[in-house]
Amino acid sequence: MPELPEVETIVRDLDRVVRGQSIHEVVVLREDLIGDEDPGEFAAALRGQRIRTVTRRAKNIIFLLDADRLVVNLGMTGRMLVFTAGEPLPSHLGVRFLLDGRRELLYQDVRRFGRLWRIGDAEWQEWEAHLGVEPLSDDFTAALVLDLAQRSRSPIKTWLMDQRRIVGVGNIYASEALFYAGINPRLPAHALSEAQARRLHDAIRAVLTDAINFRGTTLLDYRDAQGERGGFAERLRVYGRDQQPCQSCGSDIERIVQAGRSTFFCPRCQQ
Ligand SMILES: [Zn+2]
């Protein structure tokens, strides 16, 4: 499942390729992928709109159009691909957007947990309101981390993944950030100290920024339906490394299960 760095990488790639292009036709092949709207209305309303820019909010891809936003959540297996008309189309296609110059923007989703929404300007604020703070924005401070953590009894790792508080940090980067901050993933969130909140804040930003620079861990390329691995996979310090020696202290990395998800940590570095 893509996290913030993967979506940010896709967004930057897509913006380069489709910015300024107009949507000439929309073909919905899988109607269950369209959220909160009749698929026919969705297609008709998008037709003729120009893509002004492609941005990100939380783990959503946002196409800013003339009159609306097209919001795409990739779910587990969603991919946005850019093809040229005439190329053999990939399988499991959900939606096709025909653009300028025989280009096609394709939404492909094998398991179909993803969603596409058309959100008008008037609804945008309401839609965005349930999402937490962006960890790479100026609003994200150590004081905010401390304040939010003090209201929760969840383990800090589970707390970090709650998208209503801080967005975009999923299973991989939660484990990595806690390692860099030297915090035990089982620590109850409300027990986080001021010094730990500062370290966690800095670690989240450093890990996400580093991962974006390396194009994420589980990157799915916009040109390639097969996808490819992002460069950050080589740089993971704890995630997926259970029973391997910690690169800082040599202890074995441990794996535990929290809220049904695997957590990886170093028992010596993260006490
Ligand atoms: Zn260690």
Side-chain angles (χ1 to χ4, degrees):
M1 184 182 294
E3 301 184 29
L4 188 154
E6 287 76 25
V7 177
E8 182 66 29
T9 301
I10 294 165
V11 158
R12 290 180 185 185
D13 283 353
L14 282 175
D15 187 58
R16 234 171 351 92
V17 177
V18 303
R19 175 199 282 245
Q21 302 228 349
S22 294
I23 299 172
H24 297 290
E25 188 57 81
V26 181
V27 183
V28 179
L29 301 160
R30 293 290 188 178
E31 300 202 337
D32 55 338
L33 289 168
I34 309 302
D36 303 336
E37 186 172 29
D38 173 77
E41 281 174 27
F42 170 88
L46 292 179
R47 205 174 292 138
Q49 294 204 49
R50 199 174 58 93
I51 301 170
R52 284 153 58 188
T53 183
V54 188
T55 61
R56 180 188 58 76
R57 178 70 175 97
K59 298 183 201 176
N60 302 291
I61 302 168
I62 316 286
F63 294 85
L64 191 62
L65 309 175
D66 291 328
D68 296 306
R69 284 172 176 79
L70 168 64
V71 178
V72 180
N73 189 295
L74 300 171
M76 300 281 289
T77 53
R79 285 170 189 180
M80 296 247 53
L81 306 166
V82 180
F83 274 54
T84 302
E87 279 185 83
L89 293 173
S91 58
H92 301 289
L93 274 188
V95 186
R96 295 169 65 180
F97 301 90
L98 279 59
L99 307 178
D100 299 335
R102 303 176 70 237
R103 275 220 171 116
E104 282 202 39
L105 178 65
L106 306 173
Y107 180 75
Q108 179 207 42
D109 199 340
V110 175
R111 296 181 65 185
R112 301 217 302 278
F113 289 120
R115 281 292 174 279
L116 294 85
W117 296 269
R118 181 181 65 92
I119 314 274
D121 279 344
E123 293 87 51
W124 174 246
Q125 280 197 333
E126 191 190 335
W127 195 89
E128 201 189 13
H130 69 281
L131 295 171
V133 64
E134 288 286 339
L136 298 177
S137 74
D138 292 341
D139 294 338
F140 183 65
T141 61
L144 181 73
V145 171
L146 186 64
D147 181 49
L148 293 174
Q150 278 171 346
R151 301 178 207 182
S152 172
R153 302 202 160 265
S154 302
I156 190 73
K157 187 312 188 119
T158 309
W159 176 86
L160 253 184
M161 291 174 61
D162 186 336
Q163 302 297 304
R164 293 169 302 180
R165 301 189 181 98
I166 300 165
V167 298
V169 181
N171 210 32
I172 296 173
Y173 301 110
S175 281
E176 291 295 306
L178 287 168
F179 173 78
Y180 279 97
I183 297 170
N184 190 300
R186 287 178 286 219
L187 180 79
H190 67 86
L192 197 72
S193 71
E194 210 178 318
Q196 286 174 321
R198 263 198 308 274
R199 294 208 306 269
L200 183 56
H201 167 270
D202 294 352
I204 290 168
R205 284 212 179 185
V207 165
L208 292 177
T209 303
D210 206 22
I212 290 169
N213 289 337
F214 282 87
R215 297 178 61 80
T217 303
T218 54
L219 182 77
L220 309 166
D221 193 89
Y222 71 95
R223 280 164 305 201
D224 176 8
Q226 300 307 309
E228 63 179 60
R229 238 169 141 211
F232 197 69
E234 317 298 327
R235 297 176 65 85
L236 295 171
R237 301 290 296 274
V238 286
Y239 184 84
R241 301 190 71 250
D242 50 315
Q243 294 172 38
Q244 295 179 47
C246 168
Q247 291 167 19
S248 293
C249 75
S251 303
D252 280 358
I253 302 295
E254 287 183 11
R255 184 183 83 95
I256 55 172
V257 175
Q258 295 181 290
R261 306 295 301 276
S262 289
T263 299
F264 301 88
F265 72 109
C266 172
R268 190 184 292 174
C269 295
Q270 296 172 257
Q271 287 189 1

